[in-house]
Amino acid sequence: ILELLAPSAGEIILDAGCGSGVFTRDILDSGATVVGLDISLPMIGHARKKMERFSFFGVKGTMMQLPFGDNTFNRAVSVTAIEFVTDGSAAVNEMFRVTRPGGCVVVATLNSLSLWAVRRKKKAETTGHPLFENVVFRSPDEVRVLAAGEGLVKTAIHFQKTDDPAVARRLERQGQLAGSNTGAFIIARWIKPDSG
């Protein structure tokens, strides 16, 4: 995610669907200012507590109607939030709207082609886990078309949680070298065209 987002000091970055800020800290470590948006006020509260020594601002809102003006952010990122949005294209278009020309939009999500997604769906069906009842897992091809224009799409995490760390590292290298599309995590990046 950080490789494709490439945050820099002094930038203002939107973290759409930031939750409790699990992935936000790594962005803040670059020296960027992060505006974290989430639909859950308690999650925003957790994120604010964790990031209180950083340039982090939490905002309650939805990805479908971002409460920011056009071209506000240098970059926009969303990690494991697009699964909870039925109209992924509309959410990504909103992220493009608030990103400055030449900036990037990065989306990371669980891959529908991976065993991780299959297990999460099964858990929702068997246990009635509310978090994953209406989740929309997408394939790399489905993520690629969430935005107009050419995007870069990669997958990562080609191993299982139960794999020995040495085996996991080997499986990850093999998956990356093979360009596998079944990694548990999809990371996509699009560059917003310059308006001129």
Side-chain angles (χ1 to χ4, degrees):
I1 295 166
L2 289 175
E3 176 187 317
L4 295 184
L5 184 64
S8 295
E11 291 184 325
I12 303 170
I13 299 175
L14 171 65
D15 184 357
C18 68
S20 64
V22 172
F23 299 99
T24 311
R25 174 66 191 274
D26 292 326
I27 300 167
L28 288 164
D29 283 341
S30 73
T33 294
V34 175
V35 176
L37 174 127
D38 203 88
I39 199 165
S40 166
L41 200 53
M43 287 292 198
I44 297 271
H46 289 299
R48 283 181 181 147
K49 275 186 182 175
K50 286 164 62 173
M51 313 303 161
E52 64 187 359
R53 291 176 294 146
F54 293 92
S55 188
F56 173 81
F57 303 91
V59 177
K60 185 178 187 306
T62 172
M63 292 175 68
M64 300 304 289
Q65 294 179 314
L66 294 171
F68 311 109
D70 295 354
N71 307 316
T72 300
F73 300 96
N74 298 99
R75 304 171 190 281
V77 63
S78 179
V79 183
T80 63
I82 200 93
E83 296 95 325
F84 304 102
V85 176
T86 305
D87 189 347
S89 289
V92 171
N93 285 333
E94 268 292 275
M95 292 173 68
F96 266 96
R97 180 185 66 75
V98 302
T99 300
R100 295 175 185 159
C104 69
V105 172
V106 174
V107 173
T109 184
L110 202 58
N111 185 356
S112 67
L113 303 180
S114 73
L115 292 175
W116 293 59
V118 170
R119 279 197 305 274
R120 293 235 171 124
K121 282 290 234 186
K122 188 173 281 187
K123 182 177 181 178
E125 291 167 6
T126 57
T127 65
H129 194 287
L131 186 59
F132 295 104
E133 274 180 8
N134 298 313
V135 72
V136 180
F137 294 128
R138 296 171 175 89
S139 70
D141 288 339
E142 291 168 327
V143 170
R144 184 175 280 109
V145 298
L146 291 178
E150 192 65 32
L152 174 64
V153 178
K154 295 182 172 190
T155 68
I157 309 177
H158 297 87
F159 54 88
Q160 300 303 309
K161 284 182 183 180
T162 56
D163 287 336
D164 176 86
V167 171
R169 283 190 293 277
R170 182 176 49 79
L171 290 172
E172 187 61 23
R173 271 194 307 276
Q174 288 173 344
Q176 293 296 324
L177 289 172
S180 171
N181 70 346
T182 58
F185 217 42
I186 301 169
I187 306 99
R189 181 191 67 202
W190 301 272
I191 305 296
K192 183 172 178 175
D194 286 325
S195 52

